Amino acid sequence: MGIAQRYERTLKEVHETCEAAGRDARSVRLIAVSKTVGEAGVRAALEAGARDFGENRPDQIVPKSAAFPQATWHFIGNIQSRRIPEIVASATLIHSLFQLRHAEKIDAAAARLNKVQDVLIEVNVSGEESKSGCKPKEAYALVAACAALEHVRVRGLMTMAPQGDAQVARACFERLAQLEADIRAQLAPEDAAAFNELSMGMSEDWREAVYAGATMIRVGRAIFSDDFE
Ligand SMILES: *Cc1c(COP(=O)(O)O)cnc(C)c1O
């Protein structure tokens, strides 16, 4: 099986899972996380119909988004202050924001490019030390502070679940969905209207995420790796 077949198989499974979960298939976006492949890999997925791609390093998102401007590029990795201008120039959506000082730098970089940068707030729901993200109880304050920035628009929340146990992952995703609903209820109507994305679920656990309400799943190995078959 190649990349195109694995992409098509994954997309079909996403549609089947949506149906089983009683959800509209169009309500979940499949983001192909292309961080382990080069431009040929991206092209193979594009030709199979992929439109959304995720990258976790500026060194990757900058050239790939330039080579494939017809795709939508998502930045899902660690944010370093000095790389923010490049990330903002390349990414349609930044999934991994959890520090206000970075939000302020994103705001400034977006202002210079005359754009409004869409972002998600990454939340460390599980509390694992290896995971990045703000604490669940800090998320509302961060969303509210970002909402005050003119060139930043907060579109929702993102998390990564602990690996290895589907039930633990599902509980983690359900907590993120509940947190998003709680935050939305506290936002001003104009901010609440745009605050509707939940980025959660990867190759091992995207099904649990779809059941819990994910609107974006970030899938790498199941599409790009041949040891995931
Ligand atoms: C690599 C990565 C993914 C994709 O993980 P797979 O297990 O390969 O599907 C998703 N989200 C983030 C933040 C990643 O770094």
Side-chain angles (χ1 to χ4, degrees):
M1 229 191 255
I3 289 170
Q5 286 97 325
R6 284 193 298 268
Y7 175 79
E8 284 159 11
R9 178 192 63 180
T10 305
L11 186 64
K12 182 166 171 271
E13 286 178 15
V14 171
H15 290 166
E16 288 163 359
T17 305
C18 284
E19 190 168 335
R23 298 189 54 193
D24 183 340
R26 286 165 304 187
S27 66
V28 179
R29 238 198 291 181
L30 172 58
I31 299 175
V33 177
S34 49
K35 66 191 183 193
T36 59
V37 299
E39 290 185 6
V42 172
R43 187 172 299 110
L46 259 178
E47 284 170 2
R51 286 299 168 265
D52 287 276
F53 290 86
E55 289 288 344
N56 66 345
R57 290 177 42 211
D59 290 347
Q60 294 286 319
I61 197 169
V62 169
K64 286 175 179 161
S65 62
F68 303 104
Q70 69 272 49
T72 298
W73 291 90
H74 299 257
F75 188 78
I76 62 174
N78 183 39
I79 298 174
Q80 290 177 286
S81 287
R82 65 192 172 85
R83 308 308 293 271
I84 283 174
E86 293 162 273
I87 296 169
V88 170
S90 308
T92 297
L93 179 64
I94 298 173
H95 293 230
S96 43
L97 174 66
F98 60 91
Q99 290 184 291
L100 185 56
R101 67 191 178 90
H102 289 158
E104 288 162 349
K105 292 205 164 91
I106 290 170
D107 183 55
R112 283 194 294 273
L113 292 171
N114 228 339
K115 87 183 255 200
V116 173
Q117 179 65 58
D118 280 345
V119 301
L120 305 178
I121 301 301
E122 181 171 357
V123 184
N124 184 355
V125 173
S126 69
E128 286 177 295
E129 272 189 36
S130 61
K131 297 257 186 311
S132 43
C134 71
K135 292 185 176 142
K137 65 176 194 291
E138 297 165 349
Y140 171 71
L142 192 51
V143 171
C146 290
L149 300 172
E150 207 179 330
H151 297 273
V152 172
R153 183 167 65 156
V154 190
R155 301 299 316 276
L157 304 178
M158 180 273 224
T159 200
M160 291 172 83
Q163 285 174 303
D165 183 327
Q167 265 175 299
V168 170
R170 172 101 180 239
C172 172
F173 297 146
E174 286 173 349
R175 275 189 67 195
L176 192 75
Q178 185 60 52
L179 181 62
E180 173 147 295
D182 292 346
I183 291 173
R184 193 190 297 112
Q186 297 175 68
L187 292 175
E190 63 275 19
D191 296 326
F195 189 77
N196 53 17
E197 301 286 359
L198 276 170
S199 170
M200 52 192 197
M202 322 199 320
S203 292
E204 311 261 6
D205 55 19
W206 63 260
R207 293 169 186 79
E208 284 72 30
V210 167
Y211 275 93
T215 64
M216 299 177 172
I217 57 176
R218 309 178 309 271
V219 179
R221 287 170 299 145
I223 297 171
F224 292 105
S225 166
D226 53 17
D227 41 64
F228 209 96
E229 284 173 8

